[in-house]
Amino acid sequence: MTVRENNLHVYNSLTRSREKFEPLRPPHVGMYVCGPTVYGDAHLGHAKSYISFDVILRYLRHLGYEVRYVQNITDVGHLTDDADEGEDKVEKRARAERVHPMQVAEEFTRRYFEDMDRLNVLRPDISPRASGHIIEQIELVKRLLAGGHAYESGGSVYFDVASWPKYGKLSGRSVEEMQAGARVEVSAEKRHPADFALWKRAEPGHIMQWPSPWGMGYPGWHLECSAMSMKYLGESFDIHGGGLENQFPHHEDEIAQAEAATGKPFVKYWLHNNMVTVNGQKMGKSLGNFITLRDAFEKWDPMVIRMFILQSHYRSPLDFSDQALAAAKTGYESLVRMAEGIKKGLLPVQEDRRTPEAYETGSRMIEKIRRDFYEAMDDDFNTARALAQIFSLQGAAHIIRRLAEKSHDLLPLFWDTFKAMAGVLGLSLGKEESAGSKEGVTPALVHILIHLRNDARAAKDFAQADAIRKRLDEIGILLEDTPEGTKWRFK
Ligand SMILES: [Zn+2]
């Protein structure tokens, strides 16, 4: 497959500018997105993040890029405190529930994927677990020690920010500022307050621990992303995504670890998504306005939530409210209704009619909307504008339908354009797309059944004829007896 000519520009957090998207090794694109720490259910903030990167993935693939998409699962090493103190989040939950930490990780990994499936988020090509890559992480620590960018202290190993002058280039912070801003008491083991743990000594009672050259311990949270992204995407790759709140220290530390070890640029484009607020307030467990996806699904169709999220740009914050969701629901339902109407118009193909003028008018209309859609997506994945084009197409549907009476090939063109656009945004519209009820139905077999039914009727076996009609109806096929014979269509 060749890459479609495009004018894609992305906003790169690293250079703080909009840049033309030019992957390192086209048509290949390596993309890494920080995945969840699996100690609780995914919430609306996760939905915004992973839907945003799902659309980016879908659009890149739509353009013809061969994307390898890696998203990690953090099952060890993510502490409750950013400054390398506090408890491991997964272990904390395991202790509360009196189960093994890996049980917590396994349960919430499964639940995470279930939630993402419902939101129509494509699964990553590789979902590496931190606990499954201890060897790679220890190797990276060894490289940093050998290069003089890390030091051991009391069984833990820290990254030495003073050894890496570029530290702070992503977040734009200086090491001096970090020192002044250090809000927690700095561990006596650290030479500098901004130094961060690569490897932590396991305290007594810590369950998830491994042998290392520095004694029993576990990896620091930031380390897994550098080690696993480079393992699967190479030492330099194209896109690294994640939430804005992780730009510092997490992503800053990822860059330092990778580049200090390899001497090569780590990531070409850093993309960051903004957060979800609830009724204008930051969402947080302590604020009591924390909405898990499971709770949200009770009230709203996952596709409505997806549509709502797509209504804003990924770099903008998004305010969740029942009103906003109700509006998204109305919009989504109108698209589903239109899609159903068009599909009905598509199916009974009788004689072919084609009036060139009607085709010309209709196809020009569709083409203009299609171009505007690509322009929106090329503009740093502007889903809000792209979605507006889907509604423009919906607005044009009645005109297209009228023109299609004179030119039958307009409806298939309209439908293909509509499906492609909805597909890029990952919007599933109606049963056919999700359940695939049309799949497995072969028209030739339906015709055989229609003949058998006609034979039964001719033999006055009406019970048998009715049974055939009923069974077809049950699998979504409607028979219509017309003067020209029996016709069939999907319900
Ligand atoms: Zn990460």
Side-chain angles (χ1 to χ4, degrees):
M1 187 160 170
T2 51
V3 176
R4 190 193 294 248
E5 209 177 304
N6 66 76
N7 189 32
L8 177 59
H9 283 67
V10 302
Y11 182 83
N12 187 354
S13 306
L14 187 63
T15 58
R16 292 169 192 79
S17 62
R18 191 174 288 260
E19 294 172 9
K20 173 112 179 76
F21 181 67
E22 280 160 342
L24 300 167
R25 295 171 288 270
H28 300 281
V29 172
M31 173 158 133
Y32 185 91
V33 172
C34 291
T37 301
V38 281
Y39 70 107
D41 274 330
H43 53 70
L44 284 172
H46 292 109
K48 177 158 166 68
S49 186
Y50 298 121
I51 286 174
S52 300
F53 290 105
D54 183 59
V55 171
I56 290 171
L57 170 72
R58 284 170 183 268
Y59 188 53
L60 291 172
R61 286 195 175 146
H62 178 80
L63 292 177
Y65 289 112
E66 288 171 29
V67 187
R68 182 182 294 170
Y69 180 27
V70 182
Q71 189 195 101
N72 63 308
I73 295 285
T74 298
D75 54 2
V76 67
H78 195 173
L79 304 185
T80 49
D81 189 304
D82 265 353
D84 298 323
E85 300 299 329
E87 264 187 285
D88 182 300
K89 291 182 178 187
V90 176
E91 280 213 20
K92 187 180 175 189
R93 175 110 195 201
R95 190 167 305 119
E97 295 190 359
R98 298 174 172 276
V99 294
H100 194 279
M102 278 292 103
Q103 280 174 280
V104 170
E106 192 61 43
E107 183 188 352
F108 287 108
T109 301
R110 289 178 193 171
R111 289 169 71 90
Y112 166 72
F113 282 122
E114 282 165 18
D115 291 346
M116 292 301 132
D117 288 348
R118 293 187 68 185
L119 289 168
N120 218 14
V121 169
L122 297 172
R123 293 206 179 188
D125 297 307
I126 306 174
S127 302
R129 272 75 168 166
S131 65
H133 295 75
I134 300 297
I135 293 169
E136 288 82 351
Q137 296 182 72
I138 290 176
E139 285 306 310
L140 187 53
V141 177
K142 283 194 206 161
R143 267 173 102 175
L144 289 166
L145 279 167
H149 295 294
Y151 56 91
E152 189 201 339
S153 183
S156 294
V157 183
Y158 294 95
F159 186 92
D160 181 4
V161 293
S163 78
W164 185 247
K166 288 186 211 156
Y167 190 74
K169 71 174 177 176
L170 176 67
S171 56
R173 298 182 193 206
S174 70
V175 170
E176 292 73 46
E177 274 175 286
M178 292 174 212
Q179 180 149 26
R183 56 190 166 83
V184 283
E185 224 171 288
V186 178
S187 157
E189 290 178 350
K190 291 187 186 179
R191 291 183 192 162
H192 188 285
D195 289 352
F196 56 91
L198 300 169
W199 185 263
K200 287 277 286 180
R201 174 187 64 247
E203 302 300 337
H206 199 97
I207 299 167
M208 298 298 288
Q209 52 173 293
W210 290 265
S212 78
W214 320 286
M216 293 301 287
Y218 56 94
W221 173 41
H222 318 303
L223 189 65
E224 64 177 274
C225 286
S226 302
M228 302 195 297
S229 61
M230 290 197 289
K231 178 177 173 88
Y232 297 112
L233 299 173
E235 291 181 343
S236 297
F237 60 92
D238 300 297
I239 297 176
H240 192 310
L244 205 52
E245 72 281 5
N246 281 335
Q247 195 171 27
F248 185 86
H250 185 58
H251 295 153
E252 194 73 65
D253 294 352
E254 280 187 45
I255 296 176
Q257 293 163 157
E259 297 193 352
T262 67
K264 295 175 191 165
F266 177 43
V267 169
K268 189 165 180 190
Y269 304 101
W270 279 88
L271 308 184
H272 286 99
N273 69 276
N274 217 314
M275 62 175 174
V276 173
T277 55
V278 178
N279 298 315
Q281 259 197 326
K282 191 175 187 290
M283 188 171 71
K285 272 187 179 147
S286 53
L287 295 166
N289 62 355
F290 191 79
I291 304 173
T292 67
L293 289 172
R294 304 252 159 174
D295 286 344
F297 293 160
E298 297 267 306
K299 211 164 163 186
W300 306 102
D301 184 311
M303 276 306 104
V304 169
I305 295 175
R306 184 169 180 116
M307 177 117 144
F308 163 70
I309 286 172
L310 295 174
Q311 282 170 348
S312 78
H313 188 260
Y314 73 94
R315 289 196 296 113
S316 309
L318 175 63
D319 192 45
F320 183 94
S321 68
D322 280 343
Q323 268 169 312
L325 261 287
K329 182 170 186 271
T330 308
Y332 175 70
E333 286 173 351
S334 73
L335 286 184
V336 171
R337 271 199 306 278
M338 186 214 63
E340 278 165 3
I342 294 291
K343 271 187 280 183
K344 271 184 197 146
L346 280 177
L347 292 168
V349 179
Q350 286 141 3
E351 91 267 42
D352 253 336
R353 199 178 294 166
R354 196 166 194 274
T355 313
E357 302 81 60
Y359 185 80
E360 184 66 21
T361 311
S363 62
R364 221 182 305 126
M365 225 170 151
I366 295 169
E367 180 52 26
K368 158 95 175 69
I369 293 170
R370 204 181 65 93
R371 262 204 320 272
D372 289 348
F373 178 85
Y374 279 112
E375 214 177 278
M377 290 305 292
D378 280 348
D379 179 16
D380 193 25
F381 313 100
N382 193 326
T383 56
R385 267 173 51 208
L387 197 58
Q389 294 314 313
I390 290 194
F391 282 106
S392 298
L393 207 53
Q394 180 195 26
H398 67 282
I399 302 175
I400 299 295
R401 240 184 274 186
R402 247 196 355 254
L403 291 168
E405 285 165 19
K406 294 185 195 142
S407 193
H408 286 167
D409 38 8
L410 268 178
L411 269 193
L413 177 70
F414 180 91
W415 181 237
D416 288 346
T417 308
F418 182 74
K419 267 200 307 193
M421 283 162 57
V424 166
L425 296 181
L427 281 176
S428 148
L429 297 160
K431 286 184 218 109
E432 270 82 0
E433 267 71 42
S434 51
S437 66
K438 266 196 264 180
E439 269 154 38
V441 173
T442 312
L445 290 178
V446 178
H447 283 293
I448 291 173
L449 288 165
I450 289 173
H451 280 298
L452 287 174
R453 177 170 164 268
N454 289 342
D455 290 348
R457 286 208 299 186
K460 303 220 179 315
D461 186 354
F462 295 114
Q464 177 73 350
D466 281 344
I468 293 174
R469 175 200 279 276
K470 194 161 165 281
R471 296 292 291 276
L472 283 171
D473 188 272
E474 282 165 6
I475 61 164
I477 291 167
L478 208 63
L479 299 187
E480 279 167 340
D481 295 312
T482 72
E484 294 92 51
T486 307
K487 294 206 164 113
W488 71 277
R489 64 180 173 87
F490 290 105
K491 281 207 281 188

